[in-house]
Amino acid sequence: MDNCILQVDDLGVCFHTEEGRIQAVDGVSFALHEGETLGIVGESGSGKSVTSLALMGLVPSPPGQICAGRALYRGENLLAMPPKRFSEIRGNRIAMIFQDPMTSLNPYMTIADQLIEVTVVHLGHSHREALKHAIEMLERVGIPSPSRRIFAYPHEFSGGMRQRVMIAMALSCQPDILIADEPTTALDVTIEAQILELMKQLQQSQGTAIIMITHDMGVVANICHRVHVMYAGKIVEQAGCDALFANPRHPYTLGLLKSVPRLTQATSARLATIDGQPPDLAHLPIGCAFEPRCGYATPECRQQSPQLQDSEDADRFACFVDITKESPLKDPHV
Amino acid sequence: MSESLAGIAASPHPALLEVRNVAVHFPLQRRSFGSAAATIRAVDGLSFSLAEGETLGLVGESGCGKSTLARAILRLVPTSAGEIFYEGRRIDSLKASKMRPFRQQMQMIFQDPFASLNPRMTVSQIITEPMQIFRLHDRKDRQLEAMRLLELVGLNPRFLNRYPHEFSGGQRQRIGIARALAVKPRLIICDEPVSALDVSIQAQVINLLMDLQQQLGLAYLFIAHDLAVVRHIANRVGVMYLGRLVEEADAEMLYANPRHPYTRALLSSVPLPDPRSERHRQRIVLAGEVPSPDAIYPGCKFVDRCLMKAMDCQQQVPQLAGGDHRVACHFAWDEERYQASLAAANQKADIAHDPA
Ligand SMILES: Nc1ncnc2c1ncn2[C@@H]1O[C@H](COP(=O)(O)OP(=O)(O)OP(=O)(O)O)[C@@H](O)[C@H]1O
Ligand SMILES: Nc1ncnc2c1ncn2[C@@H]1O[C@H](COP(=O)(O)OP(=O)(O)OP(=O)(O)O)[C@@H](O)[C@H]1O
Ligand code: SF4
Ligand code: SF4
Ligand SMILES: [Mg+2]
Ligand SMILES: [Mg+2]
């Protein structure tokens, strides 16, 4: 896994809103390797989708703006790429499964036409080849009777079926990088397992690198090699998958893992949560953004913002406190 | 509003919601040649009841008709057969104007937060609009109430004047929840209400829904794919397959002792939040093709994918039967048969798993 395919350095994305400038993504850096699956988890609104939109050149502007950083894909900076070159790469070499299928599928075109368009444009298929290929892809994502139902419109499909159409579309071109933003939220677990298997197969045969954005820690455990945890626009922890679950180092990560409902848990017990309000990006504190909710906070945390720092095993976290040694001053997770 | 519900001829203690043999069919448009018209049986004869203050969890394969059922209850799609009762009063055939008082009592949290919020309305307008329609609160109090609701769902009240596109997926979902709560309903149909949320906010929203239930006696029909979440919130759980209920039981009972082969496959596939056990687990893989909802099955609809099917299953529809624990399978209680079939299927499929 030494083949770095995407190198993101110090990515920053901001939005200009009525309340002022919002730094939605702040100083995000990471490397993505061929054949690797990188998980991104984190608070709702922490910048996961915006990070991936930036990599796809799809941040709405205005109000959005890429205000810092670069993202090198095979040596080319995606963030400064001419639109024409970008459109060659997008959907073809770098594909994305969007979080909201309904706004990314065209409601006035049949599923067939939308799927066909992708391979006609990017792979130069003939219409007939493209249709055959599209039906095959629908079959692989578990759409029943694909040869008949491909002529339906998106509103005639269920939520999960639309999501699978998006997946079929993204996988059609066998991309180098697949960015999957919550790809399985609308799927039942048997189909989810099938889709994750399909992604792993693609990865094995094509060396595809996958960025998997998800809230489902079970999906992370199933498919991810490494995981990034985001909070308020920043990566607060980077770790190998096993290490993150076994030994979380950032208080937010710890709170997140404690909130996961377990299949074995008795019914009607209260779930653990992280107390307090999510951060308001327009009014972030000077110090650590998690400080108002953190049980480990010290006075230092209010003065300075912690940076990602190396730990022994190259996993990194941004926190002043070693939570494996300290106990929380107040237990915030009750 | 309560006047319009009065004078209802009903049994002494009717369920809050009762669904009897409901079906919803859609015509399948075909653009290929030489094919006869067909029907998609999205919901195909389904019955359940829901008491005041109770939560019925509904799980099932993607495309099995959960959202369609929810929409049919709210009269957003017409039913093709069957009857729906709210507090003993039949509502599936009411005129729109007669339906109005029920509309306030039954709210829905939609699966797709992107499509269900009007992009041209501010958060404040989105949340206060239903209050206005049903004339709740004084005009000046509505804004305050909206702020209170935002706080309740974990959003900053300062967001009131923003538009939906300025929010992340999970934030939009919470706006939808605040809107549903705005008119103080008695029944909320939740279609995947928490799947777009991070686990900590998800936990907050689930706790919130459970608190509201205690305080206000709300009933929920709770549709979700996350079986751990469903176990947590639901008193009873129904499992759907191709438009029908195949199993229904008390939540504890269902998770401890699933009887339908589909339920068993489903539970065995839940991804576990632990990388080590996730690597070494064994799933029951469903055999066969995903059947089409327009296919006609004289017998059990699960037959093509069932590992313990018998000849009879093709011909005879298994009825949802049993007292507390209802199962629609001819061999629901034949554990020996199931274990033998599972062993045989495993041998045949040679499921790749690491026994370490
Ligand atoms: N068009 C926009 N205008 C203003 N703010 C925006 C816009 N798009 C996103 N934001 C803000 O940027 C932040 C990051 O949003 P993003 O969609 O990346 O969150 P996320 O991590 O994907 O969350 P979720 O898990 O809920 O999908 C949010 O606080 C959001 O309010
Ligand atoms: N307006 C419509 N026209 C035609 N077919 C429809 C329509 N709405 C739903 N269907 C079909 O009815 C079936 C059930 O859809 P429904 O949305 O109820 O599924 P679901 O159980 O909610 O699935 P998911 O878990 O993926 O959301 C699907 O096969 C779908 O394609
Ligand atoms: S830096 Fe301080 S406030 Fe921030 S997470 Fe660490 S202990 Fe908590
Ligand atoms: S009735 Fe027959 S086919 Fe249907 S689930 Fe039971 S054993 Fe399987
Ligand atoms: Mg997102
Ligand atoms: Mg649905």
Side-chain angles (χ1 to χ4, degrees), chain A residues 85-155:
Chain A
R85 174 79 185 120
F86 215 141
S87 61
E88 285 164 25
I89 291 179
R90 185 171 48 221
N92 183 14
R93 302 322 330 144
I94 306 179
M96 178 155 173
I97 302 165
F98 293 90
Q99 189 172 6
D100 52 332
M102 210 42 192
T103 49
S104 27
L105 291 173
N106 183 339
Y108 303 108
M109 276 168 79
T110 64
I111 306 290
D113 289 342
Q114 302 189 52
L115 277 170
I116 286 169
E117 194 175 25
V118 180
T119 52
V120 168
V121 171
H122 289 302
L123 301 182
H125 279 175
S126 72
H127 189 273
R128 256 186 75 177
E129 280 170 340
L131 181 61
K132 191 164 156 271
H133 183 75
I135 291 171
E136 262 168 42
M137 286 309 298
L138 284 188
E139 180 146 34
R140 290 182 74 182
V141 295
I143 300 285
S145 320
S147 54
R148 279 182 292 135
R149 302 207 71 193
I150 195 168
F151 298 107
Y153 288 89
H155 78 268

Side-chain angles (χ1 to χ4, degrees), chain A residues 17-19 22 42-46 48-49 63 99-103 110 139 142-145 147-149 151-153 156 158-162 164 182 184-194 196-197 215-219 221-223 241-243 245-246 252 255-257 259-283 293, chain B residues 27-32 35 38 40 60-64 66-67 111-112 114-115 150-151 154-159 161-163 165-166 168-172 174 192 195-204 206-208 210-211 225-235 251-252 255 262 265-267 269-276 278-279 283-284 286 289-294 305:
Chain A
T17 70
E18 278 178 23
E19 289 157 68
I22 286 179
E43 173 108 337
S44 165
S46 63
K48 304 180 296 294
S49 297
Q99 189 172 6
D100 52 332
M102 210 42 192
T103 49
T110 64
E139 180 146 34
I143 300 285
S145 320
S147 54
R148 279 182 292 135
R149 302 207 71 193
F151 298 107
Y153 288 89
E156 297 173 279
S158 79
M161 290 161 72
R162 284 176 212 151
R164 284 178 275 160
E182 308 277 1
T184 59
T185 43
L187 304 180
D188 65 275
V189 288
T190 59
I191 290 181
E192 177 176 79
Q194 188 184 334
L196 295 179
E197 215 38 59
H215 290 307
D216 189 330
M217 297 312 270
V219 171
N222 178 290
I223 198 173
C241 191
D242 288 20
F245 280 88
Y252 173 69
L256 200 64
L257 289 172
S259 310
V260 177
R262 312 268 159 172
L263 203 53
T264 47
Q265 208 164 19
T267 312
S268 78
R270 272 185 94 71
L271 289 167
T273 61
I274 301 173
D275 269 356
Q277 289 287 318
D280 178 0
L281 293 179
H283 305 86
R293 308 170 74 183
Chain B
L28 175 59
Q29 279 143 27
R30 291 197 174 176
R31 255 139 286 184
S32 53
S35 49
I40 292 182
E61 183 150 81
S62 166
C64 73
K66 302 178 296 296
S67 299
Q111 180 170 13
D112 189 344
F114 299 88
L150 278 187
E151 218 152 32
L155 286 175
N156 199 315
R158 248 205 299 252
F159 293 166
N161 294 316
R162 292 204 195 162
Y163 290 88
H165 73 265
E166 297 177 58
S168 75
Q171 291 167 332
R172 283 182 233 196
R174 279 176 280 163
E192 305 270 2
S195 52
L197 308 179
D198 65 79
V199 281
S200 123
I201 290 170
Q202 181 179 307
Q204 259 173 38
I206 291 168
N207 288 344
L208 170 72
M210 285 163 65
D211 289 348
H225 286 305
D226 188 326
L227 290 145
V229 166
V230 171
R231 164 160 205 179
H232 211 86
I233 196 165
N235 309 103
E252 290 298 330
Y255 284 76
Y262 176 66
L266 205 59
L267 282 171
S269 300
V270 177
L272 302 174
D274 172 4
R276 279 167 215 171
E278 187 61 19
R279 245 169 263 141
R283 291 198 166 81
I284 303 167
L286 290 177
E289 303 266 299
V290 185
S292 178
D294 65 323
R305 306 174 79 190

Side-chain angles (χ1 to χ4, degrees), chain A residues 1 32-38 196-211 223 225:
Chain A
M1 280 213 309
L32 181 70
H33 299 89
E34 248 171 53
E36 178 187 38
T37 302
L38 172 68
L196 295 179
E197 215 38 59
L198 187 64
M199 288 185 179
K200 286 183 198 164
Q201 275 167 24
L202 178 79
Q203 187 160 57
Q204 253 150 35
S205 64
Q206 311 285 324
T208 306
I210 300 175
I211 297 179
I223 198 173
H225 303 116

